[in-house]
């Protein structure tokens, strides 16, 4: 069964450094999402992406964040200058517009630790 | 999207049905009810969704009251692997931002 994959599984970085989190969505999916979950807290929506542009974003997704689909398979989240409070699990998801349910398929997550 | 309310936690015996309630009293007529779960720290997993009619798939059943103000997710024969946090989410389409609440922590007991 196809699945969303994410790399790396764990990323450790110093405060102020740039990080890029990578995702490979399910191949025929056209909607892509990033969510994050700070330890012990709720899953929070960051951004959705469709047709090569951001379709929706939350207040969390400020100028420090950007997303890109650099080729036909990858979907990336860049954090320009990481802060301690960016430490969280970051989940990528994708969905297929041809499915009745529009359900989102989530990846296993990347744990980002900012020191 | 309408606000949903779920119990914080529930226990269920292995092999028995787990019935997880959700209140969505302000849901509008064209909002769906989606259920996802999160096992430990894994990515959320879609379970089922519905609009008005009861729905069943290989994972679960969803019972929506006639007035649509509440629903119940039923796992017919819970196993230890069903121990997870279950989220009830109302939204106009599953393609948009999902708003996860605190969910119900289901503990399946052996």
């Amino acid at each position: 069964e196809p699945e969303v994959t994410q790399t790396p599984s764990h990323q450790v970085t110093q405060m102020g450094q740039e990080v890029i989190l990578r995702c490979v969505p399910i191949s025929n999916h056209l909607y892509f999402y990033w969510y994050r979950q700070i330890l012990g807290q709720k899953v929070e929506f960051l951004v959705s992406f469709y047709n090569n542009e951001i379709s929706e974003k939350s207040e969390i997704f400020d100028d420090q964040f950007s997303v890109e689909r650099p080729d036909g398979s990858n979907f990336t989240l860049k954090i320009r200058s990481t802060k301690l409070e960016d430490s969280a699990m970051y989940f990528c998801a994708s969905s297929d517009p041809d499915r009745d349910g529009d359900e989102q398929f989530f990846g296993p997550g990347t744990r980002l630790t900012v020191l | 999207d309408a606000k949903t309310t779920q119990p914080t936690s529930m226990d269920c015996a292995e092999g028995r049905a787990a019935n997880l309630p959700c209140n969505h009293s302000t849901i509008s007529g064209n909002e769906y009810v989606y259920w996802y779960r999160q096992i430990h720290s894994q990515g959320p997993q879609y379970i089922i969704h519905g609009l008005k009619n009861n729905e069943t798939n290989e994972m679960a059943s969803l019972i929506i009251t006639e007035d649509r103000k509440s629903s119940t997710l039923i796992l017919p024969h819970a196993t230890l692997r069903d121990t997870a946090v279950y989220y009830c989410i109302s939204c106009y389409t599953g393609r948009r931002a999902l708003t996860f609440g605190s969910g119900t922590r289901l503990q399946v007991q052996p």
Side-chain angles (χ1 to χ4, degrees), chain B residues 11-18 77-79 107-110:
Chain B
D11 285 345
C12 175
E14 190 177 18
R16 304 296 294 268
H77 306 287
T79 71
Q107 181 70 49
V108 180
Q109 306 283 358

Side-chain angles (χ1 to χ4, degrees), chain B:
Chain B
D1 298 340
K3 180 177 162 55
T4 61
T5 306
Q6 300 177 252
T8 304
S9 63
M10 294 181 65
D11 285 345
C12 175
E14 190 177 18
R16 304 296 294 268
N19 297 286
L20 292 91
C22 178
N23 191 298
H24 32 78
S25 57
T26 60
I27 197 169
S28 61
N30 50 352
E31 276 188 280
Y32 289 82
V33 178
Y34 279 79
W35 284 83
Y36 282 78
R37 72 180 181 184
Q38 187 176 26
I39 296 172
H40 196 49
S41 297
Q42 297 176 23
Q45 177 190 24
Y46 166 82
I47 301 172
I48 198 167
H49 77 284
L51 184 63
K52 295 179 184 175
N53 300 322
N54 298 337
E55 302 288 345
T56 295
N57 64 18
E58 64 278 4
M59 287 183 72
S61 295
L62 175 60
I63 308 297
I64 303 174
T65 58
E66 197 168 334
D67 64 8
R68 301 205 336 114
K69 293 188 177 189
S70 65
S71 60
T72 301
L73 177 74
I74 301 172
L75 307 178
H77 306 287
T79 71
L80 298 178
R81 287 175 296 181
D82 292 322
T83 292
V85 179
Y86 287 77
Y87 301 99
C88 170
I89 300 169
S90 68
C91 53
Y92 292 96
T93 166
R95 291 181 212 171
R96 292 194 59 197
L98 296 176
T99 302
F100 289 84
S102 301
T104 296
R105 184 171 297 277
L106 176 69
Q107 181 70 49
V108 180
Q109 306 283 358

